Amino acid sequence: MFSFSWPALRYGVLLTAALGLGGCNQTPPPAETAAPAAPTPPPVPGPELTSLRDSNAVALLTEYGKAYPASEVIVHTRHGDLRVKLYDDTPIHKANFLLLARKGVFDQTVFNRVVNGFAIQGGRSDHRTIRLARYHIPPEIRAAHFHKRGALGMARYDDDQNPGKLSSNTDFYFVQGEKLTPYQAQAMAGRKLTPEQLKTYATVGGVPSLDGKYTVFGEVVEGLEVIDKIAAEPVDPYKWPKKDVDIKIEVVK
């Protein structure tokens, strides 16, 4: 049996009493109030994505491009950022890319086809929730824009299914390629290359076999090394990276 000395017992009683008195004198805490709801972000301007069709895409995108111009985007990935300049003389492709970027479509996609030494393709995902109609972009193939390393182009079905060379609305790619002698570059190209283009293929590299067949509507101005890092990702038999390379696109100016 345990016994307590008087001082200890008294101290304990006093301590208990003090705690009790303190509790009685405290002001009850104010009732918790619910945090204010976050404001709903304003709608992104531009045509509804589900309203775009082959029959109206050119008119709607032309109007959008004039009303909301921009010329530069940043593609954010876990391998780093690609700063991309968009060309003014491919206005339909440019407006379409800006519209989908601002609407958040590309932010729900990944680089879904990667071929090391050739190109990295993005714009698709198994998890995209933003709905948009299926439509195509008329070709805007310009002789001045070619498939040098870092070129941004829009994918499409081959000529057997798509003789008009209509571009996809969401599938884009960045060229990686390799350095080629002028003879090699001209032999691969589908059109006559200028001396400057031949020099670029020799010093920078690219894929001249795509020239004249796909629309190039921009180019990487910073972050070319990111293309190499993504291209080096291990892929499955369908060329899809085994670990997703998510895409976030920011329109900067």
Side-chain angles (χ1 to χ4, degrees), residues 51-118:
S51 70
L52 288 161
R53 299 287 188 276
D54 285 347
S55 59
N56 64 12
V58 170
L60 291 176
L61 291 172
T62 298
E63 181 181 355
Y64 176 78
K66 292 177 179 178
Y68 304 99
S71 60
E72 198 167 294
V73 302
I74 298 177
V75 181
H76 301 285
T77 79
R78 60 180 170 84
H79 286 297
D81 296 341
L82 296 156
R83 183 176 287 268
V84 182
K85 172 187 175 182
L86 303 177
Y87 297 147
D88 290 334
D89 59 353
T90 53
I92 309 303
H93 283 74
K94 178 181 179 180
N96 179 71
F97 197 80
L98 290 171
L99 174 65
L100 299 191
R102 288 171 172 145
K103 293 278 190 179
V105 172
F106 293 130
D107 292 356
Q108 296 185 353
T109 67
V110 299
F111 282 99
N112 56 280
R113 189 166 186 268
V114 168
V115 181
N116 201 1
F118 182 68

Coordinates of all heavy atoms in Angstrom, one line a residue, residues 51-118:
S51 N -17.5 22.6 -80.1 CA -18.2 23.2 -81.3 C -17.3 23.2 -82.5 O -17.8 23.5 -83.6 CB -18.6 24.7 -80.9 OG -17.4 25.5 -80.9
L52 N -16.0 22.9 -82.4 CA -15.1 22.9 -83.5 C -15.4 21.7 -84.4 O -15.4 20.6 -84.0 CB -13.7 23.0 -83.1 CG -13.2 24.3 -82.5 CD1 -12.0 24.1 -81.6 CD2 -13.0 25.4 -83.5
R53 N -15.5 22.0 -85.7 CA -15.7 21.0 -86.7 C -14.8 21.3 -87.9 O -14.3 22.4 -88.1 CB -17.1 20.9 -87.2 CG -18.1 20.6 -86.1 CD -18.1 19.1 -85.7 NE -19.2 18.8 -84.8 CZ -19.2 19.0 -83.5 NH1 -18.1 19.5 -83.0 NH2 -20.2 18.6 -82.8
D54 N -14.6 20.3 -88.8 CA -13.8 20.6 -90.1 C -14.5 21.8 -90.8 O -13.8 22.5 -91.5 CB -13.8 19.4 -90.9 CG -12.9 18.3 -90.4 OD1 -12.0 18.6 -89.6 OD2 -12.9 17.1 -90.9
S55 N -15.8 21.9 -90.7 CA -16.5 22.9 -91.5 C -16.3 24.3 -91.0 O -16.5 25.3 -91.7 CB -18.0 22.6 -91.6 OG -18.5 22.5 -90.2
N56 N -16.0 24.5 -89.7 CA -15.9 25.8 -89.1 C -14.6 26.1 -88.4 O -14.4 27.2 -87.9 CB -17.0 26.1 -88.1 CG -17.0 25.1 -86.9 OD1 -16.0 24.5 -86.7 ND2 -18.1 25.1 -86.1
A57 N -13.7 25.1 -88.4 CA -12.4 25.3 -87.6 C -11.6 26.5 -88.1 O -11.1 27.3 -87.3 CB -11.6 24.0 -87.6
V58 N -11.4 26.6 -89.4 CA -10.6 27.7 -89.9 C -11.1 29.1 -89.6 O -10.4 29.9 -89.1 CB -10.5 27.5 -91.5 CG1 -9.8 28.8 -92.1 CG2 -9.7 26.3 -91.8
A59 N -12.4 29.2 -89.7 CA -13.0 30.5 -89.4 C -12.9 30.9 -87.9 O -12.5 32.0 -87.5 CB -14.5 30.6 -89.9
L60 N -13.3 29.9 -87.1 CA -13.2 30.1 -85.6 C -11.8 30.4 -85.1 O -11.6 31.2 -84.3 CB -13.9 29.0 -84.9 CG -15.4 28.8 -85.1 CD1 -15.9 27.5 -84.4 CD2 -16.1 30.0 -84.5
L61 N -10.9 29.6 -85.6 CA -9.5 29.7 -85.2 C -8.8 31.0 -85.7 O -8.0 31.6 -85.0 CB -8.7 28.5 -85.6 CG -9.0 27.2 -84.9 CD1 -8.3 26.0 -85.5 CD2 -8.7 27.3 -83.4
T62 N -9.2 31.4 -86.9 CA -8.7 32.7 -87.5 C -9.1 33.8 -86.6 O -8.3 34.7 -86.2 CB -9.2 32.9 -88.9 OG1 -8.6 31.8 -89.7 CG2 -8.7 34.2 -89.5
E63 N -10.4 33.8 -86.2 CA -11.0 34.9 -85.4 C -10.3 34.9 -84.0 O -9.9 35.9 -83.5 CB -12.5 34.7 -85.2 CG -13.2 35.8 -84.4 CD -14.6 35.5 -84.3 OE1 -15.2 34.6 -84.9 OE2 -15.3 36.2 -83.5
Y64 N -10.1 33.7 -83.5 CA -9.5 33.5 -82.1 C -8.0 34.0 -82.2 O -7.6 34.7 -81.2 CB -9.5 32.1 -81.7 CG -8.8 31.8 -80.4 CD1 -9.4 32.2 -79.2 CD2 -7.5 31.3 -80.3 CE1 -8.8 32.0 -78.0 CE2 -6.9 31.1 -79.1 CZ -7.5 31.4 -78.0 OH -6.8 31.2 -76.8
G65 N -7.3 33.7 -83.2 CA -5.9 34.1 -83.3 C -5.7 35.6 -83.3 O -4.8 36.1 -82.8
K66 N -6.7 36.3 -84.0 CA -6.6 37.7 -84.1 C -7.0 38.4 -82.8 O -6.4 39.4 -82.4 CB -7.5 38.2 -85.2 CG -7.0 37.8 -86.6 CD -8.0 38.3 -87.7 CE -7.5 37.9 -89.1 NZ -8.5 38.3 -90.1
A67 N -7.9 37.8 -82.1 CA -8.4 38.4 -80.8 C -7.5 38.1 -79.7 O -7.4 39.0 -78.8 CB -9.8 37.8 -80.5
Y68 N -6.8 37.0 -79.7 CA -6.0 36.6 -78.5 C -4.6 36.1 -79.0 O -4.2 35.0 -78.9 CB -6.6 35.5 -77.7 CG -8.0 35.9 -77.2 CD1 -9.1 35.4 -77.9 CD2 -8.2 36.7 -76.1 CE1 -10.4 35.8 -77.5 CE2 -9.5 37.1 -75.7 CZ -10.6 36.6 -76.4 OH -11.8 37.0 -76.0
P69 N -3.8 37.1 -79.6 CA -2.5 36.7 -80.1 C -1.5 36.4 -79.0 O -1.6 36.8 -77.9 CB -2.1 37.9 -80.9 CG -2.7 39.1 -80.2 CD -4.1 38.5 -79.7
A70 N -0.5 35.5 -79.4 CA 0.6 35.2 -78.6 C 1.7 34.6 -79.5 O 1.3 34.1 -80.6 CB 0.3 34.3 -77.4
S71 N 2.9 34.5 -79.1 CA 3.9 34.0 -80.0 C 4.9 33.0 -79.2 O 5.8 32.5 -79.9 CB 4.7 35.1 -80.6 OG 5.3 35.9 -79.6
E72 N 4.7 32.8 -77.9 CA 5.7 32.0 -77.2 C 5.0 31.2 -76.1 O 4.1 31.7 -75.4 CB 6.8 32.9 -76.6 CG 8.0 32.2 -76.2 CD 9.2 33.1 -75.9 OE1 9.6 33.8 -76.9 OE2 9.6 33.2 -74.8
V73 N 5.4 30.0 -76.0 CA 4.9 29.1 -74.9 C 6.1 28.4 -74.2 O 7.2 28.3 -74.8 CB 3.9 28.1 -75.4 CG1 2.7 28.7 -76.1 CG2 4.6 27.1 -76.4
I74 N 5.9 27.9 -73.0 CA 6.8 27.1 -72.4 C 6.2 25.7 -72.1 O 5.1 25.6 -71.5 CB 7.3 27.7 -71.0 CG1 8.0 29.0 -71.3 CG2 8.2 26.7 -70.3 CD1 8.4 29.7 -70.0
V75 N 6.8 24.7 -72.5 CA 6.4 23.3 -72.3 C 7.1 22.8 -71.1 O 8.4 22.6 -71.2 CB 6.6 22.4 -73.5 CG1 6.1 21.0 -73.3 CG2 5.9 23.0 -74.8
H76 N 6.4 22.6 -70.0 CA 7.0 22.1 -68.8 C 7.0 20.6 -68.7 O 5.9 20.0 -68.9 CB 6.3 22.7 -67.5 CG 6.3 24.2 -67.5 ND1 7.4 24.9 -67.1 CD2 5.3 25.1 -67.7 CE1 7.1 26.2 -67.1 NE2 5.9 26.3 -67.5
T77 N 8.1 19.9 -68.4 CA 8.2 18.5 -68.2 C 9.0 18.2 -67.0 O 9.8 19.0 -66.5 CB 8.7 17.8 -69.4 OG1 10.2 17.9 -69.4 CG2 8.2 18.4 -70.7
R78 N 9.0 16.9 -66.6 CA 9.9 16.5 -65.4 C 11.4 16.5 -65.8 O 12.3 16.4 -65.0 CB 9.5 15.2 -64.9 CG 9.5 14.0 -65.8 CD 9.1 12.7 -65.1 NE 8.8 11.6 -66.0 CZ 9.8 10.8 -66.4 NH1 11.0 11.0 -66.0 NH2 9.5 9.8 -67.2
H79 N 11.7 16.6 -67.1 CA 13.1 16.7 -67.6 C 13.5 18.1 -67.8 O 14.7 18.3 -68.2 CB 13.2 15.9 -68.9 CG 13.2 14.4 -68.7 ND1 14.1 13.7 -68.0 CD2 12.3 13.5 -69.2 CE1 13.9 12.4 -68.1 NE2 12.8 12.3 -68.8
G80 N 12.7 19.1 -67.6 CA 13.0 20.5 -67.8 C 12.0 21.1 -68.7 O 11.0 20.6 -69.1
D81 N 12.3 22.4 -69.1 CA 11.4 23.2 -69.9 C 11.9 23.4 -71.3 O 13.1 23.5 -71.6 CB 11.2 24.6 -69.2 CG 10.6 24.5 -67.9 OD1 9.9 23.4 -67.6 OD2 10.7 25.4 -67.1
L82 N 10.9 23.5 -72.2 CA 11.2 23.8 -73.6 C 10.5 25.2 -73.9 O 9.3 25.3 -73.8 CB 10.6 22.8 -74.6 CG 11.2 21.4 -74.5 CD1 10.2 20.3 -75.0 CD2 12.4 21.3 -75.3
R83 N 11.3 26.2 -74.2 CA 10.7 27.5 -74.6 C 10.5 27.4 -76.1 O 11.5 27.2 -76.8 CB 11.6 28.6 -74.2 CG 11.0 30.0 -74.5 CD 11.9 31.1 -73.9 NE 11.7 31.2 -72.5 CZ 10.9 32.0 -71.8 NH1 10.0 32.8 -72.5 NH2 10.8 32.0 -70.5
V84 N 9.3 27.7 -76.6 CA 9.0 27.5 -78.0 C 8.4 28.8 -78.6 O 7.5 29.4 -78.0 CB 7.9 26.4 -78.1 CG1 7.6 26.1 -79.6 CG2 8.4 25.1 -77.5
K85 N 9.0 29.1 -79.7 CA 8.5 30.3 -80.5 C 7.5 29.7 -81.6 O 7.8 28.7 -82.3 CB 9.7 31.0 -81.2 CG 9.2 32.0 -82.3 CD 10.5 32.6 -83.0 CE 10.1 33.5 -84.1 NZ 11.2 34.0 -84.9
L86 N 6.3 30.3 -81.7 CA 5.3 29.9 -82.7 C 5.4 30.9 -83.9 O 5.5 32.1 -83.7 CB 3.9 30.0 -82.1 CG 3.8 29.1 -80.8 CD1 2.4 29.3 -80.3 CD2 4.0 27.6 -81.1
Y87 N 5.3 30.3 -85.1 CA 5.4 31.1 -86.3 C 4.2 31.9 -86.7 O 3.0 31.4 -86.6 CB 5.8 30.3 -87.5 CG 7.1 29.5 -87.3 CD1 7.3 28.3 -87.9 CD2 8.2 30.1 -86.7 CE1 8.5 27.6 -87.8 CE2 9.4 29.5 -86.6 CZ 9.6 28.2 -87.1 OH 10.8 27.6 -87.0
D88 N 4.3 33.1 -87.1 CA 3.2 33.9 -87.5 C 2.6 33.5 -88.9 O 1.4 33.8 -89.1 CB 3.6 35.4 -87.6 CG 3.9 36.0 -86.2 OD1 3.3 35.5 -85.2 OD2 4.7 37.0 -86.2
D89 N 3.4 32.9 -89.7 CA 2.9 32.6 -91.1 C 2.2 31.2 -91.1 O 2.0 30.6 -92.2 CB 3.9 32.7 -92.1 CG 5.2 31.8 -91.9 OD1 5.2 31.2 -90.8 OD2 6.1 31.8 -92.7
T90 N 1.9 30.6 -90.0 CA 1.1 29.4 -89.9 C 0.0 29.7 -88.9 O -0.1 29.1 -87.8 CB 1.9 28.2 -89.4 OG1 2.6 28.5 -88.2 CG2 3.0 27.8 -90.4
P91 N -0.9 30.7 -89.2 CA -1.8 31.2 -88.2 C -2.8 30.2 -87.7 O -3.3 30.4 -86.5 CB -2.5 32.4 -88.9 CG -2.3 32.0 -90.4 CD -1.0 31.3 -90.5
I92 N -3.3 29.3 -88.5 CA -4.3 28.4 -88.0 C -3.7 27.4 -87.0 O -4.3 27.1 -86.0 CB -5.0 27.6 -89.2 CG1 -5.4 28.6 -90.3 CG2 -6.2 26.8 -88.7 CD1 -6.4 29.7 -89.8
H93 N -2.6 26.8 -87.4 CA -1.9 25.9 -86.4 C -1.6 26.6 -85.1 O -1.7 26.1 -84.0 CB -0.7 25.3 -87.1 CG -0.9 24.2 -88.0 ND1 -1.5 24.5 -89.3 CD2 -0.8 22.9 -88.0 CE1 -1.6 23.3 -89.9 NE2 -1.2 22.3 -89.1
K94 N -1.1 27.8 -85.3 CA -0.7 28.6 -84.1 C -1.9 28.9 -83.2 O -1.8 28.7 -82.0 CB -0.1 29.9 -84.5 CG 0.4 30.9 -83.4 CD 0.9 32.1 -84.0 CE 1.4 33.1 -83.0 NZ 1.9 34.4 -83.5
A95 N -3.0 29.3 -83.8 CA -4.2 29.6 -83.0 C -4.7 28.4 -82.3 O -5.2 28.4 -81.2 CB -5.2 30.3 -83.9
N96 N -4.7 27.3 -83.0 CA -5.2 26.0 -82.5 C -4.4 25.6 -81.3 O -4.9 25.2 -80.2 CB -5.2 24.9 -83.5 CG -5.7 23.6 -83.0 OD1 -6.9 23.4 -82.7 ND2 -4.8 22.7 -82.9
F97 N -3.1 25.7 -81.4 CA -2.2 25.3 -80.3 C -2.4 26.2 -79.1 O -2.4 25.7 -78.0 CB -0.7 25.4 -80.8 CG 0.2 24.6 -79.9 CD1 0.4 23.3 -80.0 CD2 1.0 25.3 -79.0 CE1 1.3 22.6 -79.3 CE2 2.0 24.6 -78.2 CZ 2.1 23.2 -78.4
L98 N -2.5 27.5 -79.3 CA -2.7 28.4 -78.2 C -4.1 28.2 -77.5 O -4.2 28.2 -76.3 CB -2.7 29.9 -78.7 CG -1.3 30.4 -79.2 CD1 -1.4 31.7 -79.9 CD2 -0.3 30.5 -78.0
L99 N -5.1 27.9 -78.3 CA -6.4 27.7 -77.8 C -6.4 26.4 -76.9 O -6.9 26.5 -75.7 CB -7.5 27.5 -78.9 CG -8.9 27.1 -78.4 CD1 -9.5 28.2 -77.6 CD2 -9.7 26.7 -79.7
L100 N -5.9 25.3 -77.3 CA -5.8 24.1 -76.6 C -4.9 24.2 -75.3 O -5.2 23.7 -74.3 CB -5.4 22.9 -77.4 CG -6.3 22.6 -78.6 CD1 -5.9 21.3 -79.2 CD2 -7.7 22.6 -78.3
A101 N -3.9 25.0 -75.5 CA -3.0 25.2 -74.3 C -3.7 26.0 -73.2 O -3.7 25.7 -72.0 CB -1.7 26.0 -74.8
R102 N -4.4 27.1 -73.6 CA -5.1 27.9 -72.7 C -6.3 27.2 -72.0 O -6.6 27.5 -70.9 CB -5.5 29.2 -73.3 CG -4.4 30.2 -73.6 CD -4.9 31.4 -74.5 NE -3.8 32.4 -74.6 CZ -3.7 33.1 -75.7 NH1 -4.5 32.9 -76.8 NH2 -2.7 34.0 -75.8
K103 N -6.9 26.4 -72.8 CA -8.1 25.6 -72.3 C -7.6 24.4 -71.4 O -8.5 23.8 -70.8 CB -8.9 25.1 -73.4 CG -9.6 26.1 -74.3 CD -10.9 26.6 -73.6 CE -11.7 27.5 -74.6 NZ -13.0 27.9 -74.0
G104 N -6.3 24.2 -71.3 CA -5.8 23.1 -70.4 C -5.8 21.7 -71.0 O -5.6 20.7 -70.3
V105 N -6.1 21.6 -72.3 CA -6.1 20.3 -73.0 C -4.8 19.6 -72.9 O -4.7 18.4 -72.5 CB -6.6 20.4 -74.4 CG1 -6.5 19.1 -75.1 CG2 -8.0 20.9 -74.5
F106 N -3.7 20.3 -73.2 CA -2.4 19.6 -73.2 C -1.9 19.3 -71.8 O -1.1 18.4 -71.7 CB -1.4 20.5 -73.9 CG -1.6 20.7 -75.4 CD1 -1.7 22.0 -76.0 CD2 -1.8 19.6 -76.2 CE1 -1.9 22.2 -77.3 CE2 -2.1 19.8 -77.6 CZ -2.1 21.1 -78.1
D107 N -2.5 20.0 -70.8 CA -2.0 19.7 -69.4 C -2.5 18.4 -68.9 O -2.1 17.9 -67.9 CB -2.5 20.8 -68.5 CG -1.8 22.2 -68.8 OD1 -0.9 22.2 -69.6 OD2 -2.2 23.2 -68.1
Q108 N -3.4 17.8 -69.7 CA -3.9 16.4 -69.4 C -3.3 15.4 -70.3 O -3.9 14.3 -70.4 CB -5.5 16.4 -69.4 CG -6.1 17.3 -68.4 CD -7.7 17.2 -68.4 OE1 -8.2 16.5 -69.3 NE2 -8.3 17.8 -67.5
T109 N -2.2 15.7 -70.9 CA -1.6 14.7 -71.9 C -0.2 14.5 -71.5 O 0.4 15.1 -70.6 CB -1.7 15.3 -73.3 OG1 -0.9 16.4 -73.5 CG2 -3.2 15.6 -73.7
V110 N 0.4 13.6 -72.3 CA 1.8 13.1 -72.1 C 2.5 13.0 -73.4 O 1.9 13.1 -74.5 CB 1.9 11.8 -71.4 CG1 1.2 11.8 -70.0 CG2 1.2 10.7 -72.2
F111 N 3.8 12.8 -73.4 CA 4.5 12.4 -74.6 C 4.3 11.0 -74.8 O 4.7 10.1 -74.0 CB 6.0 12.8 -74.5 CG 6.3 14.2 -74.7 CD1 6.5 15.1 -73.6 CD2 6.4 14.7 -76.0 CE1 6.8 16.4 -73.8 CE2 6.7 16.1 -76.2 CZ 6.9 16.9 -75.1
N112 N 3.5 10.6 -75.8 CA 3.0 9.3 -76.0 C 3.7 8.5 -77.0 O 3.4 7.3 -77.2 CB 1.5 9.3 -76.3 CG 1.2 10.2 -77.5 OD1 1.2 11.4 -77.4 ND2 1.0 9.6 -78.7
R113 N 4.6 9.1 -77.8 CA 5.4 8.3 -78.8 C 6.8 8.9 -78.9 O 6.9 10.1 -79.2 CB 4.7 8.3 -80.1 CG 5.3 7.4 -81.1 CD 4.4 7.2 -82.4 NE 4.9 6.2 -83.3 CZ 5.7 6.4 -84.3 NH1 6.1 7.7 -84.6 NH2 6.2 5.4 -85.1
V114 N 7.7 8.1 -78.6 CA 9.1 8.5 -78.5 C 10.0 7.6 -79.3 O 10.0 6.4 -79.1 CB 9.6 8.6 -77.0 CG1 11.1 8.8 -76.9 CG2 8.9 9.7 -76.2
V115 N 10.7 8.2 -80.3 CA 11.6 7.4 -81.1 C 13.0 8.1 -81.0 O 13.2 9.2 -81.6 CB 11.2 7.3 -82.6 CG1 12.1 6.5 -83.4 CG2 9.8 6.7 -82.6
N116 N 13.9 7.5 -80.3 CA 15.2 8.1 -80.1 C 15.9 8.3 -81.4 O 16.0 7.4 -82.2 CB 16.0 7.3 -79.1 CG 17.2 8.0 -78.5 OD1 17.3 9.2 -78.7 ND2 17.9 7.4 -77.7
G117 N 16.5 9.5 -81.7 CA 17.1 9.8 -82.9 C 16.2 10.3 -84.0 O 16.7 10.7 -85.1
F118 N 14.9 10.4 -83.7 CA 13.9 10.8 -84.7 C 13.1 12.0 -84.1 O 13.3 13.1 -84.5 CB 13.0 9.7 -85.1 CG 12.0 10.0 -86.1 CD1 12.4 10.3 -87.4 CD2 10.7 10.0 -85.8 CE1 11.5 10.6 -88.4 CE2 9.7 10.2 -86.8 CZ 10.1 10.5 -88.1

